[in-house]
Amino acid sequence: MKLPPYIFPDSKKIIEYLLVSIAGIIPFFWILGFRWTDLEFPFGYDGDALLSISLSKTLIEQGWLFGNNKLGAPYGQLLTDIPFFEFINILILKVMTLFSSDAVRALNLYFLTSFSLTTVASYFVCKQLSFEKDISLWISLLFSYQYYHLARGIFHLFLSMYFVVPLGFWLLFQLFDPSIIKKKASTYTLMFMSAICGLCGLYYAIFILFLMAAFLVAEIIFSPKNTKKIQWACFFILGSALFATVFPTLISSLTHGPAAKITRSPSDIENYALKFTHLVLPVEGHYIESLALLKQRYLETTYFNNENKTAVLGFVGTVGFIFGWLFLIATKAGDQAHHILNRVAKINVLLFLFATLGGITAVVGLLTFPMIRSSNRVSVFIAFGSLLIVGMGLEKLRKYWPQKHLFSVLIFLVGGFLILDQTGSAVLGSAFPNRAVTDDRAFVRALEHSFANNSKIFQLPYVPFWESGPTVQLEGYEHLRPYLFSKTFSWSYGGTRGREADVWYANTARLPIMTMLNELKSKNFTAIYVDRRGFSDHANSILAELTRILGAPVVSDQDSIRLVFRIQ
């Protein structure tokens, strides 16, 4: 019996895609001057990057992101209150933890893998659209090294794993334009891919669902005979897969009662919306000084500039984006000569209308559901569509080029400059916070020498966990830093907002010092950790009182910002 080819695929194909995956990480070494020895330092060490490292450590110590008994002491952290829509991404991070039991190394491997997977997925889709290998790889590398990717980094850990974007395009082509794809997929493959797209994150799944819904509605209105059952089936499967990711949160609510909700407002949607200017203007810190100053002047003189400034297409993406709009303006109805270009340009227009300031997302958020606030994240879809448009132009150009190999060499030489154009120098120098990490490791080692294993440490000031703003000068998630490198200690910070651990932590932190100490003794805490940045008086008053009662701090960091007292 002859086995189907997907069980034993062609060895040449395996080698081809293996080489593509390796090519996907080569520019990373070049852009950031990365060395393998740098894996022990995280690609970012503040804000959400600290949360990402803690999630990596939780996967190592607890097995999955259900909870953590070393945070939210003495009750523990209940992570099921937080909906994690990124099942596939978490699974990939879990696989990385099998290669390293160090949270930072595992996280860095995950981030490096995101470049390889994005390059491979993009290459696959380009090949399915009958692009030549060199142009397919060229598009894939430019897409993988978007400014969006490097700027999100490990700060927005699951957004930086966007290999699902080209797969979403492939799914849309298969469902609504199968004639433009080299090989038509089976029904089961389409259903499986729909489930994958639904398990790779809320935003990316919503964007794909929106496009599917838009094309389905258009077919129902203008060509109902073309509507197929598989289109509806894939739409339902993708939505169901996305909904399934919130089951742990629903079960947690039924078991423990509803958790405190993080509210969103329609104004948040406008604030974080996509802006045309961010798409087409150069990146921050562009290598050409005049372009860098242009972007800086725009950021300093306009409003609504936040994470949406990562939505940069770069020069080549901008060319493709604008050309797509011009094509739709100039093309005649029923033109079949440029079917792929037509579909991709329509996708870009739909996504722009969906996400732009005052766009469809803002209307939907005002009327129904304001939780999908950061619509600017659709830029990575627009970037892929725009690069596909440029790739079509290159395919046309190479037909008139006399020397094919020279053509390949030239596009990759130019591609190197284009990668620099869309990344810029702003991402350099921020990736390896070696000193801060080294200091924290030394600080935790000093704690471990001073306190017994399994000690509980109470952290001041009180800071709520998950999406909290700064407390005086103490940024959110800063209390996670000592946990990241400790082995057996438990920490009071990290109880999910509104749960027993968080309520107890907040109430205890407000008690008079002597009453607080008695409460901490009753819960078997052995130390108090004070971060001076979280107090308006730089913690002078509370430190004076703790020193009077408990004596001098046992451990402090090099700058005497964080001090730890032994509870007698």
Side-chain angles (χ1 to χ4, degrees), residues 187-230:
T187 298
Y188 293 114
T189 301
L190 293 174
M191 295 167 68
F192 174 76
M193 192 60 69
S194 300
I196 294 295
C197 290
L199 296 172
C200 288
L202 174 65
Y203 281 93
Y204 299 154
I206 289 292
F207 299 149
I208 298 170
L209 281 171
F210 165 73
L211 290 170
M212 292 174 72
F215 291 140
L216 279 168
V217 170
E219 283 192 350
I220 291 170
I221 295 174
F222 298 105
S223 53
K225 292 182 180 179
N226 292 337
T227 306
K228 304 177 183 67
K229 291 181 180 179
I230 185 60

Short mmCIF file of all heavy atoms in Angstrom, two decimals, residues 187-230:
data_model
loop_
_atom_site.label_atom_id
_atom_site.label_comp_id
_atom_site.label_asym_id
_atom_site.label_seq_id
_atom_site.Cartn_x
_atom_site.Cartn_y
_atom_site.Cartn_z
N THR A 187 -10.63 19.05 2.67
CA THR A 187 -11.57 19.61 3.64
C THR A 187 -11.02 19.51 5.05
O THR A 187 -11.10 20.46 5.85
CB THR A 187 -12.91 18.88 3.54
OG1 THR A 187 -13.45 19.08 2.23
CG2 THR A 187 -13.90 19.41 4.57
N TYR A 188 -10.42 18.36 5.36
CA TYR A 188 -9.90 18.17 6.71
C TYR A 188 -8.72 19.10 7.00
O TYR A 188 -8.58 19.60 8.12
CB TYR A 188 -9.47 16.71 6.91
CG TYR A 188 -10.63 15.74 6.90
CD1 TYR A 188 -10.77 14.80 5.88
CD2 TYR A 188 -11.60 15.78 7.90
CE1 TYR A 188 -11.84 13.92 5.87
CE2 TYR A 188 -12.67 14.90 7.90
CZ TYR A 188 -12.78 13.98 6.87
OH TYR A 188 -13.84 13.12 6.85
N THR A 189 -7.90 19.35 5.98
CA THR A 189 -6.77 20.27 6.15
C THR A 189 -7.28 21.68 6.44
O THR A 189 -6.75 22.39 7.30
CB THR A 189 -5.88 20.28 4.91
OG1 THR A 189 -5.39 18.95 4.68
CG2 THR A 189 -4.70 21.23 5.09
N LEU A 190 -8.30 22.10 5.71
CA LEU A 190 -8.88 23.43 5.93
C LEU A 190 -9.47 23.55 7.33
O LEU A 190 -9.31 24.58 7.99
CB LEU A 190 -9.95 23.71 4.87
CG LEU A 190 -9.45 23.86 3.43
CD1 LEU A 190 -10.62 23.99 2.47
CD2 LEU A 190 -8.52 25.05 3.30
N MET A 191 -10.14 22.52 7.77
CA MET A 191 -10.74 22.54 9.10
C MET A 191 -9.65 22.57 10.17
O MET A 191 -9.76 23.29 11.17
CB MET A 191 -11.66 21.33 9.28
CG MET A 191 -12.88 21.36 8.36
SD MET A 191 -13.79 19.79 8.28
CE MET A 191 -14.45 19.70 9.94
N PHE A 192 -8.59 21.79 9.96
CA PHE A 192 -7.48 21.77 10.91
C PHE A 192 -6.80 23.14 10.98
O PHE A 192 -6.50 23.65 12.06
CB PHE A 192 -6.48 20.70 10.50
CG PHE A 192 -5.22 20.68 11.32
CD1 PHE A 192 -5.23 20.16 12.62
CD2 PHE A 192 -4.03 21.19 10.82
CE1 PHE A 192 -4.07 20.15 13.38
CE2 PHE A 192 -2.88 21.19 11.57
CZ PHE A 192 -2.90 20.67 12.86
N MET A 193 -6.57 23.74 9.80
CA MET A 193 -5.92 25.05 9.77
C MET A 193 -6.80 26.12 10.43
O MET A 193 -6.29 27.04 11.07
CB MET A 193 -5.58 25.44 8.35
CG MET A 193 -4.65 26.64 8.25
SD MET A 193 -3.05 26.35 9.07
CE MET A 193 -2.33 25.14 7.97
N SER A 194 -8.10 26.00 10.28
CA SER A 194 -9.02 26.93 10.94
C SER A 194 -8.87 26.85 12.45
O SER A 194 -8.86 27.88 13.15
CB SER A 194 -10.46 26.64 10.53
OG SER A 194 -10.64 26.76 9.15
N ALA A 195 -8.76 25.62 12.96
CA ALA A 195 -8.58 25.45 14.41
C ALA A 195 -7.25 26.05 14.86
O ALA A 195 -7.19 26.71 15.91
CB ALA A 195 -8.64 23.97 14.76
N ILE A 196 -6.19 25.85 14.09
CA ILE A 196 -4.88 26.43 14.42
C ILE A 196 -4.98 27.95 14.50
O ILE A 196 -4.48 28.58 15.44
CB ILE A 196 -3.82 26.01 13.39
CG1 ILE A 196 -3.56 24.51 13.45
CG2 ILE A 196 -2.52 26.79 13.60
CD1 ILE A 196 -2.95 24.03 14.74
N CYS A 197 -5.64 28.55 13.51
CA CYS A 197 -5.77 30.01 13.49
C CYS A 197 -6.55 30.53 14.69
O CYS A 197 -6.33 31.64 15.15
CB CYS A 197 -6.45 30.46 12.19
SG CYS A 197 -5.44 30.27 10.71
N GLY A 198 -7.46 29.71 15.20
CA GLY A 198 -8.25 30.12 16.36
C GLY A 198 -7.53 29.95 17.68
O GLY A 198 -8.01 30.44 18.71
N LEU A 199 -6.40 29.24 17.68
CA LEU A 199 -5.68 28.94 18.92
C LEU A 199 -4.37 29.72 19.05
O LEU A 199 -3.57 29.41 19.91
CB LEU A 199 -5.38 27.43 18.99
CG LEU A 199 -6.60 26.51 19.07
CD1 LEU A 199 -6.18 25.05 18.95
CD2 LEU A 199 -7.37 26.72 20.38
N CYS A 200 -4.17 30.71 18.20
CA CYS A 200 -2.91 31.46 18.19
C CYS A 200 -3.07 32.89 18.67
O CYS A 200 -2.25 33.76 18.33
CB CYS A 200 -2.29 31.44 16.80
SG CYS A 200 -1.60 29.85 16.32
N GLY A 201 -4.09 33.19 19.42
CA GLY A 201 -4.22 34.53 19.98
C GLY A 201 -5.51 35.21 19.59
O GLY A 201 -6.02 35.04 18.48
N LEU A 202 -6.03 36.01 20.50
CA LEU A 202 -7.31 36.69 20.31
C LEU A 202 -7.29 37.61 19.10
O LEU A 202 -8.16 37.55 18.22
CB LEU A 202 -7.67 37.48 21.57
CG LEU A 202 -8.90 38.37 21.49
CD1 LEU A 202 -10.15 37.53 21.31
CD2 LEU A 202 -9.01 39.25 22.74
N TYR A 203 -6.30 38.50 19.03
CA TYR A 203 -6.31 39.52 17.99
C TYR A 203 -6.18 38.92 16.60
O TYR A 203 -6.94 39.27 15.68
CB TYR A 203 -5.19 40.54 18.24
CG TYR A 203 -5.56 41.56 19.29
CD1 TYR A 203 -5.24 41.36 20.63
CD2 TYR A 203 -6.27 42.70 18.95
CE1 TYR A 203 -5.59 42.29 21.59
CE2 TYR A 203 -6.62 43.64 19.91
CZ TYR A 203 -6.28 43.43 21.23
OH TYR A 203 -6.65 44.34 22.18
N TYR A 204 -5.23 38.02 16.41
CA TYR A 204 -5.03 37.45 15.09
C TYR A 204 -6.24 36.63 14.66
O TYR A 204 -6.64 36.65 13.49
CB TYR A 204 -3.75 36.60 15.07
CG TYR A 204 -2.49 37.39 15.39
CD1 TYR A 204 -1.38 36.79 15.93
CD2 TYR A 204 -2.44 38.76 15.14
CE1 TYR A 204 -0.22 37.51 16.22
CE2 TYR A 204 -1.30 39.50 15.42
CZ TYR A 204 -0.19 38.87 15.97
OH TYR A 204 0.94 39.60 16.25
N ALA A 205 -6.85 35.92 15.59
CA ALA A 205 -8.06 35.15 15.27
C ALA A 205 -9.21 36.08 14.89
O ALA A 205 -9.95 35.82 13.94
CB ALA A 205 -8.45 34.27 16.45
N ILE A 206 -9.36 37.18 15.63
CA ILE A 206 -10.44 38.14 15.34
C ILE A 206 -10.25 38.75 13.95
O ILE A 206 -11.21 38.92 13.19
CB ILE A 206 -10.47 39.24 16.42
CG1 ILE A 206 -11.00 38.68 17.74
CG2 ILE A 206 -11.33 40.42 15.96
CD1 ILE A 206 -12.44 38.27 17.73
N PHE A 207 -9.01 39.08 13.60
CA PHE A 207 -8.77 39.68 12.29
C PHE A 207 -9.12 38.71 11.16
O PHE A 207 -9.71 39.11 10.15
CB PHE A 207 -7.30 40.11 12.17
CG PHE A 207 -6.88 41.14 13.18
CD1 PHE A 207 -5.58 41.18 13.66
CD2 PHE A 207 -7.78 42.08 13.66
CE1 PHE A 207 -5.18 42.14 14.58
CE2 PHE A 207 -7.40 43.03 14.60
CZ PHE A 207 -6.10 43.07 15.06
N ILE A 208 -8.76 37.44 11.33
CA ILE A 208 -9.09 36.44 10.31
C ILE A 208 -10.59 36.22 10.25
O ILE A 208 -11.18 36.12 9.16
CB ILE A 208 -8.33 35.13 10.58
CG1 ILE A 208 -6.82 35.35 10.52
CG2 ILE A 208 -8.73 34.06 9.55
CD1 ILE A 208 -5.99 34.18 11.00
N LEU A 209 -11.25 36.14 11.40
CA LEU A 209 -12.70 35.99 11.43
C LEU A 209 -13.39 37.16 10.75
O LEU A 209 -14.39 36.98 10.02
CB LEU A 209 -13.18 35.89 12.88
CG LEU A 209 -13.03 34.53 13.57
CD1 LEU A 209 -13.35 34.66 15.06
CD2 LEU A 209 -13.93 33.48 12.93
N PHE A 210 -12.90 38.36 10.97
CA PHE A 210 -13.49 39.54 10.33
C PHE A 210 -13.40 39.43 8.81
O PHE A 210 -14.38 39.70 8.09
CB PHE A 210 -12.77 40.81 10.79
CG PHE A 210 -13.06 42.01 9.93
CD1 PHE A 210 -14.30 42.64 9.97
CD2 PHE A 210 -12.09 42.49 9.06
CE1 PHE A 210 -14.56 43.74 9.16
CE2 PHE A 210 -12.35 43.59 8.25
CZ PHE A 210 -13.59 44.21 8.29
N LEU A 211 -12.23 39.02 8.29
CA LEU A 211 -12.08 38.89 6.84
C LEU A 211 -12.99 37.79 6.29
O LEU A 211 -13.63 37.97 5.23
CB LEU A 211 -10.62 38.59 6.50
CG LEU A 211 -9.64 39.74 6.72
CD1 LEU A 211 -8.20 39.25 6.58
CD2 LEU A 211 -9.90 40.87 5.74
N MET A 212 -13.08 36.67 6.99
CA MET A 212 -13.97 35.60 6.55
C MET A 212 -15.41 36.08 6.53
O MET A 212 -16.16 35.81 5.58
CB MET A 212 -13.81 34.39 7.47
CG MET A 212 -12.46 33.69 7.36
SD MET A 212 -12.23 32.36 8.58
CE MET A 212 -13.33 31.13 7.92
N ALA A 213 -15.81 36.80 7.59
CA ALA A 213 -17.18 37.31 7.65
C ALA A 213 -17.45 38.30 6.53
O ALA A 213 -18.52 38.27 5.90
CB ALA A 213 -17.41 37.97 9.01
N ALA A 214 -16.48 39.17 6.24
CA ALA A 214 -16.66 40.17 5.18
C ALA A 214 -16.84 39.49 3.82
O ALA A 214 -17.74 39.86 3.04
CB ALA A 214 -15.46 41.11 5.15
N PHE A 215 -16.01 38.48 3.54
CA PHE A 215 -16.13 37.80 2.24
C PHE A 215 -17.41 36.97 2.15
O PHE A 215 -18.03 36.87 1.09
CB PHE A 215 -14.90 36.92 2.01
CG PHE A 215 -13.63 37.70 1.79
CD1 PHE A 215 -12.43 37.30 2.35
CD2 PHE A 215 -13.64 38.86 1.03
CE1 PHE A 215 -11.27 38.02 2.14
CE2 PHE A 215 -12.48 39.61 0.82
CZ PHE A 215 -11.29 39.18 1.38
N LEU A 216 -17.81 36.37 3.27
CA LEU A 216 -19.06 35.59 3.28
C LEU A 216 -20.26 36.49 3.03
O LEU A 216 -21.15 36.16 2.23
CB LEU A 216 -19.21 34.86 4.62
CG LEU A 216 -18.43 33.55 4.76
CD1 LEU A 216 -18.44 33.08 6.21
CD2 LEU A 216 -19.01 32.47 3.84
N VAL A 217 -20.30 37.62 3.70
CA VAL A 217 -21.42 38.56 3.51
C VAL A 217 -21.45 39.05 2.07
O VAL A 217 -22.53 39.15 1.44
CB VAL A 217 -21.30 39.74 4.50
CG1 VAL A 217 -22.31 40.83 4.15
CG2 VAL A 217 -21.54 39.25 5.93
N ALA A 218 -20.28 39.36 1.51
CA ALA A 218 -20.22 39.83 0.13
C ALA A 218 -20.73 38.77 -0.84
O ALA A 218 -21.47 39.07 -1.80
CB ALA A 218 -18.79 40.22 -0.22
N GLU A 219 -20.37 37.51 -0.58
CA GLU A 219 -20.85 36.43 -1.45
C GLU A 219 -22.35 36.24 -1.33
O GLU A 219 -23.05 36.02 -2.32
CB GLU A 219 -20.11 35.13 -1.13
CG GLU A 219 -18.70 35.07 -1.69
CD GLU A 219 -18.11 33.68 -1.63
OE1 GLU A 219 -18.72 32.80 -0.97
OE2 GLU A 219 -17.04 33.46 -2.22
N ILE A 220 -22.86 36.32 -0.10
CA ILE A 220 -24.30 36.15 0.10
C ILE A 220 -25.09 37.22 -0.65
O ILE A 220 -26.13 36.95 -1.26
CB ILE A 220 -24.63 36.18 1.61
CG1 ILE A 220 -24.08 34.94 2.31
CG2 ILE A 220 -26.14 36.31 1.84
CD1 ILE A 220 -24.16 34.99 3.80
N ILE A 221 -24.57 38.44 -0.63
CA ILE A 221 -25.29 39.55 -1.26
C ILE A 221 -25.13 39.54 -2.78
O ILE A 221 -26.11 39.69 -3.52
CB ILE A 221 -24.78 40.89 -0.69
CG1 ILE A 221 -25.14 41.00 0.80
CG2 ILE A 221 -25.39 42.07 -1.47
CD1 ILE A 221 -24.55 42.21 1.49
N PHE A 222 -23.91 39.33 -3.27
CA PHE A 222 -23.64 39.53 -4.69
C PHE A 222 -23.53 38.23 -5.49
O PHE A 222 -23.76 38.25 -6.71
CB PHE A 222 -22.36 40.35 -4.87
CG PHE A 222 -22.45 41.72 -4.27
CD1 PHE A 222 -21.79 42.02 -3.08
CD2 PHE A 222 -23.22 42.71 -4.87
CE1 PHE A 222 -21.89 43.29 -2.52
CE2 PHE A 222 -23.31 43.98 -4.31
CZ PHE A 222 -22.66 44.27 -3.14
N SER A 223 -23.16 37.14 -4.87
CA SER A 223 -23.07 35.87 -5.62
C SER A 223 -23.37 34.70 -4.68
O SER A 223 -22.46 33.93 -4.35
CB SER A 223 -21.68 35.71 -6.25
OG SER A 223 -20.67 35.87 -5.28
N PRO A 224 -24.61 34.58 -4.25
CA PRO A 224 -24.97 33.55 -3.26
C PRO A 224 -24.69 32.12 -3.72
O PRO A 224 -24.47 31.23 -2.89
CB PRO A 224 -26.47 33.79 -3.04
CG PRO A 224 -26.92 34.56 -4.22
CD PRO A 224 -25.77 35.39 -4.65
N LYS A 225 -24.66 31.90 -5.03
CA LYS A 225 -24.41 30.54 -5.53
C LYS A 225 -22.98 30.10 -5.26
O LYS A 225 -22.68 28.90 -5.28
CB LYS A 225 -24.69 30.49 -7.03
CG LYS A 225 -26.17 30.66 -7.39
CD LYS A 225 -26.38 30.55 -8.89
CE LYS A 225 -27.86 30.73 -9.24
NZ LYS A 225 -28.09 30.65 -10.71
N ASN A 226 -22.08 31.05 -5.03
CA ASN A 226 -20.67 30.71 -4.78
C ASN A 226 -20.38 30.32 -3.33
O ASN A 226 -19.30 29.84 -3.02
CB ASN A 226 -19.76 31.88 -5.17
CG ASN A 226 -19.76 32.13 -6.66
OD1 ASN A 226 -20.05 31.22 -7.44
ND2 ASN A 226 -19.42 33.35 -7.07
N THR A 227 -21.34 30.57 -2.45
CA THR A 227 -21.13 30.26 -1.03
C THR A 227 -21.09 28.75 -0.84
O THR A 227 -21.95 28.01 -1.34
CB THR A 227 -22.25 30.86 -0.18
OG1 THR A 227 -22.35 32.24 -0.45
CG2 THR A 227 -21.97 30.66 1.31
N LYS A 228 -20.06 28.30 -0.08
CA LYS A 228 -19.87 26.87 0.13
C LYS A 228 -19.98 26.53 1.61
O LYS A 228 -19.69 27.35 2.48
CB LYS A 228 -18.48 26.43 -0.39
CG LYS A 228 -18.25 26.77 -1.85
CD LYS A 228 -16.84 26.36 -2.25
CE LYS A 228 -16.53 26.75 -3.69
NZ LYS A 228 -16.46 28.21 -3.88
N LYS A 229 -20.37 25.29 1.88
CA LYS A 229 -20.53 24.84 3.27
C LYS A 229 -19.20 24.87 4.01
O LYS A 229 -19.15 25.18 5.21
CB LYS A 229 -21.11 23.43 3.29
CG LYS A 229 -22.56 23.34 2.84
CD LYS A 229 -23.07 21.92 2.91
CE LYS A 229 -24.53 21.83 2.45
NZ LYS A 229 -25.03 20.44 2.48
N ILE A 230 -18.10 24.56 3.31
CA ILE A 230 -16.80 24.52 3.97
C ILE A 230 -16.41 25.91 4.49
O ILE A 230 -15.73 26.04 5.51
CB ILE A 230 -15.71 23.97 3.02
CG1 ILE A 230 -14.37 23.81 3.75
CG2 ILE A 230 -15.56 24.85 1.80
CD1 ILE A 230 -14.40 22.88 4.92
#
